[in-house]
Amino acid sequence: MISLDWNEVYKGTPPWDIGRPQPAFEILVEDGEIKPGRALDIGCGRGDNAIMLAMNGCDVTGIDLVEDAISDAKKKAAERHVKVNFLIGDVLKMNQLFREAEFEIIIDSGLFHAMTDEERPVFAQQLHRVLKPGSKYFMLCFSDKEPGDYGPRRISKAEIESTFTPLFDIIYIKDSAFHSRSGPSSSEVYSASAYLVSAVRS
Ligand SMILES: C[S@@+](CC[C@H](N)C(=O)[O-])C[C@H]1O[C@@H](n2cnc3c(N)ncnc32)[C@H](O)[C@@H]1O
């Protein structure tokens, strides 16, 4: 797996920065699966998904490691007159940032698929700690149905199950799409095979 220098990629336009929310999360809002509540967008990047949730009644915090991404996200929210609490921080150290059970929704657009094998158990524990019991984690990742080896690591259903069970009850792992600017052969916005996961915090 190629490891990315997150600070470096935000000097330009990273492939996942499509300048709008991922359609998979918009559909979750439209279908009422994501309802107004205290939401956390982990690895929020330039903030389009977090802003979309805030525009739909959520009280949103967005967290990312990269200062430039957070400052761009803050500017974008201010331009759109939307209130989002964007902050710089490490998802693997959220115990230093948030209280237990502080959030009612977590969304993850492309962060889990960037975690190493060693980071995965810590990641699941950190999410479990900040989510209220019975609340949901929604995650979009590249799936093992996406051909080639460009871009992020492909994730199997078995890997999702072994990472999040038993801290979470997995409601579904659905075929979905991750829109990005990179693809096997084009620089246009490309729709990669993805899994959309809904999981309840046990
Ligand atoms: C694939 S990008 C997705 C960004 C955004 N969610 C989107 O859909 O546009 C993954 C993001 O996670 C951030 N990230 C990576 N590791 C992180 C960590 N340990 N804590 C917080 N953010 C992290 C990166 O800086 C990057 O913005």
Side-chain angles (χ1 to χ4, degrees):
M1 185 176 65
I2 301 160
S3 75
L4 274 182
D5 178 338
W6 298 110
N7 285 295
E8 197 55 37
V9 285
Y10 278 107
K11 290 184 178 153
T13 303
W16 55 83
D17 180 5
I18 54 170
R20 50 157 297 163
Q22 285 289 334
F25 290 104
E26 292 180 308
I27 292 167
L28 288 173
V29 171
E30 279 161 28
D31 290 352
E33 281 198 64
I34 295 182
K35 297 185 180 68
R38 251 289 1 239
L40 176 66
D41 181 0
I42 52 173
C44 64
R46 289 193 168 120
D48 287 288
N49 296 309
I51 291 170
M52 184 271 296
L53 291 194
M55 290 171 73
N56 283 280
C58 291
D59 174 5
V60 189
T61 296
I63 172 176
D64 202 284
L65 277 180
V66 178
E67 194 175 344
D68 285 350
I70 289 296
S71 107
D72 290 345
K74 283 181 177 171
K75 271 186 226 146
K76 199 180 284 185
E79 280 162 17
R80 297 180 193 174
H81 307 287
V82 179
K83 186 178 156 286
V84 178
N85 175 32
F86 283 115
L87 50 96
I88 301 161
D90 186 345
V91 163
L92 298 173
K93 296 179 183 161
M94 289 195 293
N95 51 310
Q96 298 171 8
L97 292 171
F98 304 122
R99 294 189 311 273
E100 281 180 33
E102 196 167 329
F103 296 99
E104 294 157 319
I105 302 151
I106 295 180
I107 66 160
D108 170 350
S109 172
L111 179 57
F112 175 64
H113 68 199
M115 291 287 136
T116 63
D117 288 352
E118 296 69 35
E119 287 167 335
R120 285 178 179 180
V122 182
F123 181 83
Q125 281 156 11
Q126 290 286 334
L127 269 55
H128 181 264
R129 183 185 163 279
V130 298
L131 252 190
K132 273 191 186 160
S135 294
K136 284 188 185 159
Y137 167 52
F138 295 97
M139 185 266 280
L140 187 67
C141 63
F142 264 47
S143 83
D144 50 7
K145 296 180 182 171
E146 178 60 22
D149 60 1
Y150 76 93
R153 186 175 181 182
R154 281 37 167 176
I155 306 288
S156 68
K157 288 187 180 181
E159 288 173 276
I160 295 168
E161 279 155 5
S162 67
T163 302
F164 294 103
T165 310
L167 295 178
F168 292 81
D169 291 326
I170 294 175
I171 308 297
Y172 60 69
I173 304 175
K174 283 185 186 167
D175 286 327
S176 182
F178 195 107
H179 289 213
S180 78
R181 291 182 192 279
S182 68
S185 62
S186 101
S187 59
E188 298 301 308
V189 171
Y190 171 77
S191 175
S193 299
Y195 287 132
L196 177 66
V197 178
S198 167
V200 175
R201 192 255 203 224
S202 308

